[in-house]
Structure formats: structure tokens, C-alpha cells
Amino acid sequence: MRARALGEIHARPHVLIDGPRVVLQLAFMTEGGSAVDHAVLSELSRARGVAPPHRDASHHQLRWGTGTLRWERHSEFSTYFWDGPLPGDFGGPIVDHPFGANFKPPGSLISAVRVEIRSMEDGWQDLLKQFDPTSLCCSDVKDGQAKVITDFQQNGDGLTPFIIVDNGLSMASRSALIQRLIDIETYRTLSMLGLFVAQSLSPALRRIEDGLATITQQMKARARDRSNNLLDDLSDLAAELEAGAAMSLYRFGATTAYYEIVLERIKSLNEASVSGYETLGTFLERRLAPAVRTCSSVEARQANLSRKLSRATILLRSWIDLEIEQQNSAVLSSMNHRANLQVRLQHTVEGPSVAAVSYYIVGLVGYLAKSFEDFGPHYKASNVTGFAVPVSICLVWLLVRSIRKHHDATL
């Protein structure tokens, strides 16, 4: 990975722009994956007799007319950058650019920028009349070496126009300034995508909040008989919330990241206000910041609702577990009561059982004694049987008592 790590810092060099030029950059969402971009680039490259890029390439460039067409792949979008000769009038038609009728876009267009680099001799005050005064921004950058003019409005071609009035910029400074302006327009558009997700989630969040409030009010009223139903309702609310949070997780994170990039690019411009006009940073901050705060607010509401739903679910489960424990306790008490009844019944029948067993033993002794009546006139079977009665009762009672003690000891 060392070679890739060292080469990453040089992976996206600025296209060097020398002198008055016009720059076009289009950014497309890559819904179809890198294969669509590769197909478009391959077709463009073959049209110019250039070898197409490798399928895993992240950037590619080729000569197109009097300028350079440069492609870059980003995390969720790709950009097509081209520079060419400056038209005579501001906003005039551009010749020999690659984005004509034969150009096949690789995805949904998310950003389109037109940057014109003009010299201070062209009279920048006259250029201001070409923009909407309600959103016109004009500021000095690079310590007065250039002026930047835009209104962030789209022209008839769907492009956001910028004018750089060059007052002594070097080639490197001019190229870096162009790239920063393009980045500001591209990333400020991408950062706004999170706002629409936040707006779509707000009604659902409000419904979940109302549902949670209703459930907690019922819990406050001790509606324990409806614990299972309330738990089902809470589970439905939690599932809906987590589905929305999972869907918006990437977009909200991307919104924050893109917004930070915009702020960094604006800071690097080192703007100075031109009397009577708003700077780019002030204009964008006033409009982007509320959108980003809206996304942060919705994300915070999701996290807060998730915690509250979790606490309510834990409380309801505690109720249900307590009910189950009470039911188990009632079952155990019933079993204990039946066991006591069985013990009492056992003690009740213990005496008759001793008598019955003794009766059978005495009967056996009687039959045995009668078999010895021929031993002599003094021998009587009835005497032997009568003597066997108390002996049998005592022996059986002792045996039953021993068995009961043994059972008690094992339990």
C-alpha cells in the first residue's frame, strides 16, 4: 500500500490554465456504477484516437480540441472537466467542447459549472450587469490578484457561471482558484441533497414522537393489561425509526463532509469584500448553514427518539417479565398447595394403611398357625394369631415411619 499512499497526494492535480480561457465541468451521480463511466470514457477516447482508461482507473485525461478533457471518479459522483478558448462575449457559445449532442451522460447531472477567466482590461463593472442583482456576489481573492463574480444562478444551458477577473495571477494560482470555485459549486450542491432527505423524514419522525407520547401516557396510567399490545406498538415505531435512520445515515454523513469541504474551499479563497457586494462565503454560509443544521437536527431527533423508544421498551418488558414471574409464582404456589394436600392425605391414610397391612400379615400368620394344630392339645392357633396382632402393627408402623423419614431426608 506504500506506493498508493504516496501517490494519493498527486492523484488529483490541477489542470494548468494559461491565460484567458473558459472552463466547463459537469458532475454526474454514478448510480450505474463505474462501468457506465468507463463506457462513456472509452467512446470519447476512441473518438480521439486515444487508448481508453483501465476499468479500475480513478482519473483519465485526453486532448480535446484546443483544451484538455479530464475525468475523475469520486465516491458517489464523477466529474468531466474541459477548458477551451474564451468566447468574445460573456456567456457566448463555446465551440468544439465534448458535451454536445453526441455526449452520453453516465448518470444524473448534479452540478454544471462554467468558469470564464477574463483580464482586468475587459472592464469587470460591465460584467456585473449580466448577473442577477438579488444574489450577486463579488469579492477580491488572492490578495487582490483576482476578482470572482457569480450569482449562483443557472443560465440557459443549465450551467452556473463564474467569472474570474485576472489581475496578475500566476498559472498555478489561476488553476488552483478555478478548481476551488468548481469544488464550491459541486460540493455545495451535493451537501443540499441531505436537506430533502431530512424534509421527507420529518413527518414520520413527528408521527413516531406522537405515537411514543401516546404509549407513555398509557404506561403512566398503569395499563398493564395492555402490555403486550403496547410492546407491539413500540416495536413498530422502533422499526420505522431505524429504517429511516439507516436510509439517511450515509446522506447525512455526506452532507456534513461536503459542507466542511465547501467551508475549507471558501476559507482558502481568502476573500475580501468589494464595496456594495456580498462575498461568496457570506452568501453560501447564510443559505447552506440552515440546511446543514436541519440535517443535524433530524439526525439528533432520530438518536433521541431511539433512546426514548429503547427505555420505554425496557420498561414494558419489565412489566411483562414481572407478570410472568407473578404467574409462575402463582403456579408454584398452586403446586405447593397440592403437594401439601397430598402429604396430608398421605398422613391421613397412613393409619388405615398400617391397619390394613397388619390385617393381611395377621391373616397369613393365622393360616400358618393352623397348620401346626396337631402338635399337641396345649397348642392353639388362635393364641398365636392374637399374639401376632400387636407385633404386626408395631412392625408395620415402624417400617412405614422409617420409609417416610428416608423420603424426607432425600428431599
Side-chain angles (χ1 to χ4, degrees):
M1 303 293 287
R2 178 175 180 271
R4 292 178 61 185
L6 293 175
E8 183 62 26
I9 195 171
H10 306 290
R12 305 182 190 277
H14 300 312
V15 177
L16 297 178
I17 306 297
D18 186 17
R21 301 283 281 179
V22 63
V23 173
L24 300 179
Q25 176 170 297
L26 276 62
F28 299 94
M29 302 298 287
T30 54
E31 301 99 338
S34 59
V36 181
D37 263 317
H38 185 266
V40 173
L41 284 171
S42 298
E43 183 175 344
L44 292 174
S45 299
R46 284 192 292 268
R48 293 291 163 172
V50 179
H54 190 269
R55 187 172 294 273
D56 296 330
S58 60
H59 56 86
H60 180 65
Q61 68 180 29
L62 63 146
R63 295 294 300 175
W64 191 285
T66 57
T68 302
L69 176 63
R70 186 168 184 267
W71 167 82
E72 285 187 7
R73 183 173 62 194
H74 300 261
S75 57
E76 62 173 338
F77 66 97
S78 60
T79 58
Y80 291 76
F81 177 104
W82 178 83
D83 70 291
L86 186 69
D89 298 328
F90 169 70
I94 303 173
V95 297
D96 200 24
H97 65 80
F99 308 118
N102 295 327
F103 179 75
K104 297 178 181 179
S108 302
L109 179 66
I110 191 64
S111 173
V113 188
R114 171 175 175 157
V115 182
E116 294 189 9
I117 302 97
R118 295 184 175 272
S119 65
M120 186 66 72
E121 289 77 14
D122 292 340
W124 63 273
Q125 291 88 351
D126 295 334
L127 297 174
L128 296 175
K129 301 175 183 178
Q130 308 296 324
F131 294 92
D132 184 357
T134 61
S135 58
L136 177 60
C137 299
C138 180
S139 59
D140 288 323
V141 297
K142 297 292 183 180
D143 297 325
Q145 292 182 329
K147 281 182 169 55
V148 175
I149 306 171
T150 185
D151 59 0
F152 292 102
Q153 302 279 359
Q154 284 69 54
N155 60 19
D157 296 328
L159 303 169
T160 303
F162 287 82
I163 294 180
I164 297 176
V165 182
D166 192 347
N167 190 27
L169 288 170
S170 65
M171 183 184 296
S173 297
R174 184 185 306 112
S175 303
L177 177 59
I178 293 170
Q179 189 61 53
R180 284 166 186 156
L181 293 177
I182 291 175
D183 286 348
I184 287 173
E185 175 62 16
T186 303
Y187 288 116
R188 70 103 175 176
T189 307
L190 287 165
S191 66
M192 291 296 291
L193 296 179
L195 175 63
F196 311 121
V197 175
Q199 291 173 341
S200 66
L201 289 174
S202 292
L205 289 177
R206 183 61 182 172
R207 186 172 60 253
I208 294 172
E209 288 170 344
D210 293 340
L212 178 60
T214 301
I215 292 173
T216 52
Q217 287 298 324
Q218 295 182 27
M219 292 170 61
K220 183 179 178 182
R222 299 291 181 178
R224 294 179 182 268
D225 55 329
R226 297 191 63 248
S227 296
N228 290 328
N229 294 333
L230 293 178
L231 184 59
D232 291 339
D233 294 340
L234 272 179
S235 299
D236 293 339
L237 294 178
E240 183 179 2
L241 175 66
E242 293 304 323
M247 182 267 293
S248 62
L249 179 63
Y250 173 80
R251 180 48 55 198
F252 286 165
T255 292
T256 302
Y258 292 144
Y259 178 62
E260 290 177 354
I261 292 175
V262 171
L263 295 181
E264 289 175 359
R265 298 297 188 268
I266 291 173
K267 184 179 179 180
S268 66
L269 292 179
N270 194 20
E271 289 184 285
S273 62
V274 175
S275 178
Y277 301 101
E278 198 170 21
T279 63
L280 279 70
T282 304
F283 179 86
L284 290 177
E285 178 68 18
R286 190 169 68 250
R287 285 157 178 82
L288 278 181
V292 175
R293 282 196 293 267
T294 298
C295 296
S296 300
S297 174
V298 170
E299 194 171 18
R301 286 174 66 188
Q302 287 176 334
N304 192 29
L305 267 177
S306 179
R307 290 191 295 268
K308 290 181 178 179
L309 284 170
S310 178
R311 289 198 296 267
T313 301
I314 291 174
L315 180 58
L316 269 178
R317 288 190 181 277
S318 299
W319 283 11
I320 294 174
D321 291 342
L322 181 59
E323 290 178 0
I324 293 175
E325 290 179 1
Q326 291 175 345
Q327 293 173 1
N328 292 339
S329 178
V331 171
L332 291 175
S333 298
S334 176
M335 293 174 62
N336 188 39
H337 179 66
R338 287 196 296 270
N340 290 334
L341 290 178
Q342 290 177 355
V343 171
R344 292 180 182 179
L345 180 62
Q346 180 181 352
H347 290 170
T348 302
V349 301
E350 188 175 297
S353 298
V354 171
V357 173
S358 300
Y359 173 79
Y360 286 111
I361 293 175
V362 170
L364 292 175
V365 171
Y367 285 120
L368 183 62
K370 287 180 181 180
S371 63
F372 295 102
E373 286 183 346
D374 296 335
F375 283 179
H378 300 290
Y379 176 81
K380 293 183 178 181
S382 58
N383 293 335
V384 176
T385 303
F387 177 76
V389 170
V391 175
S392 298
I393 291 174
C394 292
L395 291 176
V396 172
W397 181 78
L398 290 173
L399 178 62
V400 170
R401 184 181 179 186
S402 176
I403 293 173
R404 188 175 67 187
K405 286 184 176 181
H406 176 71
H407 287 170
D408 292 341
T410 56
L411 293 177

